[in-house]
Amino acid sequence: DSGVTQTPKHLITATGQRVTLRCSPRSGDLSVYWYQQSLDQGLQFLIQYYNGEERAKGNILERFSAQQFPDLHSELNLSSLELGDSALYFCASSAGLAGHEQYFGPGTRLTVT
Amino acid sequence: QKEVEQDPGPLSVPEGAIVSLNCTYSNSAFQYFMWYRQYSRKGPELLMYTYSSGNKEDGRFTAQVDKSSKYISLFIRDSQPSDSATYLCAMGAPGTASKLTFGTGTRLQVTL
């Protein structure tokens, strides 16, 4: 158990809808990262927050947004969902800003129908 | 061409064998190298972290980095059926260390 928690475990929704994924980092970690994992693309970095502020962005679509709250939990919002958004979404956390050692949560499996 | 290349496998070995998993990369700025293990339908688990070139050993696992060849390896000694998983390499560069680039993973099957 990495200490990172994610909810929900599974999510099934229809195209055009909006969903929110939630992540709680390990105790004491200030950085939270979001990744998307699909069969054809592998693990893709989406975005990083550090102590409430956005610090790094990857190939995150404009339809996706994230935030980190004062208690350090983070939410990833996915809107106008498309079939291609079906994937595993992982949250990871690290102690500092430079996330060499990132600890991953169990993931949320999103299925868009 | 992808920044990080990793043979997807599957790689099947008998129990007790020495396993060699490899990644090549093209970005010479990468200085931080990690190996993650991912069981089916689970999150990646950090196995090894190395900085720059050289070897690092942890129990049955040895990570090796050859920056001159842009090649990293993970060796697993005395492989066990519980080692059956997908192994992902990941890399980061100074200044962008939070943005890790992952290989697509090698699926390993250790048979009895």
Side-chain angles (χ1 to χ4, degrees):
Chain A
D1 184 357
S2 67
V4 178
T5 60
Q6 287 186 251
T7 56
K9 285 186 178 179
H10 303 281
L11 204 47
I12 301 174
T13 190
T15 53
Q17 295 298 305
R18 172 189 169 95
V19 297
T20 297
L21 313 183
R22 183 189 168 102
C23 166
S24 292
R26 292 187 319 160
S27 177
D29 283 359
L30 297 180
S31 277
V32 169
Y33 312 81
W34 286 98
Y35 290 86
Q36 180 191 60
Q37 187 176 43
S38 57
L39 282 174
D40 56 344
Q41 291 290 322
L43 203 58
Q44 300 287 315
F45 169 73
L46 295 177
I47 198 164
Q48 178 203 8
Y49 276 81
Y50 174 78
N51 204 20
E53 291 188 13
E54 180 187 306
R55 295 309 298 256
K57 249 184 175 179
N59 297 324
I60 187 167
L61 299 172
E62 284 192 14
R63 301 183 285 109
F64 295 2
S65 64
Q67 53 185 328
Q68 186 180 27
F69 294 88
D71 67 352
L72 300 177
H73 91 272
S74 178
E75 292 181 356
L76 179 68
N77 300 296
L78 314 176
S79 61
S80 302
L81 285 167
E82 302 175 359
L83 294 177
D85 297 327
S86 296
L88 271 167
Y89 291 84
F90 289 105
C91 166
S93 73
S94 69
L97 179 58
H100 308 150
E101 297 176 74
Q102 297 181 19
Y103 296 87
F104 282 75
T108 293
R109 182 173 293 276
L110 173 66
T111 302
V112 182
T113 61
Chain B
Q1 184 191 4
K2 291 183 179 179
E3 274 191 297
V4 179
E5 298 278 359
Q6 188 174 7
D7 188 329
L11 177 63
S12 183
V13 301
E15 184 180 8
I18 296 174
V19 176
S20 172
L21 303 165
N22 311 294
C23 286
T24 58
Y25 62 95
S26 57
N27 187 347
S28 57
F30 287 145
Q31 297 275 352
Y32 311 101
F33 304 93
M34 287 129 287
W35 285 95
Y36 285 83
R37 177 175 63 195
Q38 186 175 21
Y39 292 111
S40 181
R41 297 179 177 267
K42 302 288 186 184
E45 171 194 0
L46 181 63
L47 279 179
M48 301 285 282
Y49 162 64
T50 53
Y51 171 71
S52 199
S53 288
N55 291 3
K56 182 176 181 178
E57 189 174 320
D58 184 1
R60 296 186 296 111
F61 299 92
T62 299
Q64 197 171 77
V65 175
D66 182 350
K67 290 189 66 185
S68 62
S69 302
K70 296 191 179 68
Y71 189 88
I72 70 169
S73 300
L74 178 70
F75 298 96
I76 307 174
R77 290 184 298 281
D78 187 25
S79 55
Q80 303 295 310
S82 59
D83 295 328
S84 299
T86 296
Y87 290 80
L88 302 156
C89 62
M91 307 178 187
T96 63
S98 60
K99 186 179 174 182
L100 297 181
T101 301
F102 282 80
T104 50
T106 299
R107 191 155 59 91
L108 172 67
Q109 181 73 37
V110 181
T111 58
L112 290 169

